[in-house]
Amino acid sequence: MKKINILYCFILLLCSACNNSEAGVIEVVSAEEMQSLLSLDDVQLVDLRSEEDRFKQGYIVNSQHVDYNSATFEQDIKDLDKTKPVALYCNSGKRSAECAQKLKDAGFVKIFDLRGGISEWKHKGKDIVKD
């Protein structure tokens, strides 16, 4: 099953690379699909929660922190590579859905949005980092 998910994610990424004219593809993914995506090198994983929530509740390993509600959000997303896939998550999926649309509007090629956020990730028993 894991090989199938990795193959599926690879095909999605390959298709997005071939269709650069179709910028801004948003795909809502399950925790299992997200975990498979994270095994690929090109994916930029972004945690959109506040710094406080990130460290209190835990976060997905190797995620970058970009606080969706911060005054520097617009500048912070400019530091991401538009040509590489971006995987987003927040607490429940609301902020990540809003951010996905902003990234699409800004010209990002492929955006993955974790359905149910980190709450669903934890509910499915996926690993988190707690400091």
Side-chain angles (χ1 to χ4, degrees), residues 28 35 37 39-40 46-48 71 101-102 108 111 113 127:
V28 179
Q35 188 168 34
L37 283 169
S39 66
L40 304 173
V46 180
D47 183 341
L48 297 165
Q101 188 59 53
K102 286 187 179 201
F108 281 76
I111 305 121
D113 180 8
D127 291 336

Side-chain angles (χ1 to χ4, degrees), residues 8-108:
Y8 170 74
C9 293
F10 177 74
I11 290 169
L12 285 174
L13 292 173
L14 186 60
C15 289
S16 70
C18 295
N19 291 325
N20 279 343
S21 62
E22 187 185 336
V25 177
I26 300 171
E27 184 167 344
V28 179
V29 296
S30 68
E32 292 79 13
E33 291 168 325
M34 178 69 86
Q35 188 168 34
S36 294
L37 283 169
L38 299 181
S39 66
L40 304 173
D41 290 335
D42 281 355
V43 177
Q44 304 168 93
L45 178 61
V46 180
D47 183 341
L48 297 165
R49 297 172 299 150
S50 70
E51 187 78 22
E52 181 181 346
D53 286 347
R54 179 175 162 83
F55 288 102
K56 188 187 317 178
Q57 299 170 4
Y59 55 93
I60 302 172
V61 69
N62 296 326
S63 60
Q64 302 175 53
H65 180 242
V66 176
D67 186 343
Y68 183 73
N69 293 318
S70 77
T72 62
F73 171 76
E74 297 293 334
Q75 182 58 44
D76 294 340
I77 63 170
K78 289 180 182 176
D79 293 336
L80 299 172
D81 187 339
K82 290 183 180 185
T83 65
K84 292 183 180 178
V86 178
L88 305 169
Y89 73 94
C90 60
N91 191 51
S92 65
K94 184 177 185 302
R95 281 175 285 190
S96 60
E98 292 172 4
C99 181
Q101 188 59 53
K102 286 187 179 201
L103 293 180
K104 179 180 178 179
D105 295 344
F108 281 76

